[in-house]
Amino acid sequence: MSRHETSPTTVQPASNHRPNACCFCWCCCCSCSWNEDRERAWRASRETKLESIPNCEACAKPTPEEVQGWAQSFDKLMKSPAGRNVFREFLRTEYSEENMLFWLACEELKTECNKHTIDEKARMIYEDYISILSPKEVSLDSRVREVINRKMQEPSSHTFDDAQLQIYTLMHRDSYPRFLNSAIYKSLLQTISHSSSES
């Protein structure tokens, strides 16, 4: 690409010699050979997100009590838009953001009543998260996949209920305990408690 070409008088950092270096990280880790496949899948995942899902859910700033409540139960975390946003940021650091995106897409599908819209969104969810060709494929067992394949012949707003429950359980069991011990959550807890005590 011409924007990456440099004249002899222009000096650029070494990391910029790789045209596909990720935009969030300027350090040399972007060129690590062992990380290339994962980075490629992650970039493809970012570029093929469902357009209907916003980057970040609109929500009010959480109260210290609300943030503390997220540690009490996974349900409390997932029922809070702010909680989902923070948890999603954490999942992104673990390369598993597709789990939250899939869960959100299923929630959105459940609100639809129009048959044409349901068909369209169900197909998009299938292509983005169920298809084995997708870089954002979520981890589902074969039984659930078979159920989805049958239901896709006549999609409804509840086509992905079994899969959604399985991913919810996976996030609860696998990611949630690490989230509670993560720097992201602890830092937010500290910041919000500190600002609350000052006001």
Side-chain angles (χ1 to χ4, degrees):
M1 276 183 210
S2 58
R3 67 189 180 92
H4 294 297
E5 292 170 2
T6 58
S7 66
T9 55
T10 307
V11 179
Q12 286 190 328
S15 62
N16 284 349
H17 291 324
R18 185 164 177 253
N20 289 330
C22 70
C23 56
F24 296 117
C25 181
W26 50 265
C27 69
C28 61
C29 71
C30 284
S31 57
C32 290
S33 57
W34 67 268
N35 200 31
E36 280 186 18
D37 289 342
R38 174 171 258 189
E39 182 195 339
R40 193 165 29 251
W42 177 79
R43 190 182 302 108
S45 165
R46 284 180 61 237
E47 290 167 1
T48 57
K49 278 179 189 169
L50 279 179
E51 286 80 5
S52 57
I53 296 176
N55 239 359
C56 195
E57 290 181 81
C59 60
K61 183 181 175 184
T63 63
E65 294 75 30
E66 188 178 357
V67 175
Q68 287 161 2
W70 299 343
Q72 292 166 11
S73 82
F74 186 60
D75 287 343
K76 281 188 177 179
L77 173 72
M78 290 295 282
K79 283 176 182 169
S80 160
R84 290 193 297 269
N85 283 338
V86 177
F87 187 51
R88 185 172 157 186
E89 281 299 315
F90 168 74
L91 292 176
R92 190 174 293 153
T93 68
E94 294 205 327
Y95 300 95
S96 58
E97 184 187 15
E98 67 277 359
N99 290 331
M100 179 64 84
L101 291 173
F102 172 68
W103 188 87
L104 288 169
C106 292
E107 286 295 288
E108 186 178 308
L109 181 65
K110 287 178 189 175
T111 67
E112 294 296 343
C113 300
N114 181 283
K115 181 73 174 73
H116 176 71
T117 307
I118 288 170
D119 287 353
E120 200 172 84
K121 287 193 174 180
R123 192 186 74 254
M124 287 173 71
I125 290 171
Y126 187 91
E127 288 172 2
D128 265 9
Y129 303 107
I130 310 301
S131 169
I132 57 171
L133 301 174
S134 172
K136 291 191 299 180
E137 178 195 4
V138 293
S139 180
L140 299 170
D141 64 37
S142 57
R143 181 194 63 82
V144 170
R145 285 183 176 279
E146 284 171 22
V147 169
I148 290 172
N149 287 334
R150 279 200 308 272
K151 289 183 174 179
M152 281 302 291
Q153 293 169 18
E154 195 64 44
S156 77
S157 56
H158 294 280
T159 293
F160 302 101
D161 283 4
D162 288 348
Q164 187 185 20
L165 178 59
Q166 195 166 92
I167 293 303
Y168 186 91
T169 305
L170 176 69
M171 290 192 292
H172 184 186
R173 189 186 66 237
D174 190 50
S175 305
Y176 177 60
R178 288 196 300 275
F179 167 72
L180 296 179
N181 288 312
S182 70
I184 288 176
Y185 179 63
K186 287 179 176 176
S187 172
L188 175 65
L189 199 55
Q190 193 174 17
T191 303
I192 206 156
S193 300
H194 183 68
S195 62
S196 174
S197 61
E198 282 183 345
S199 54

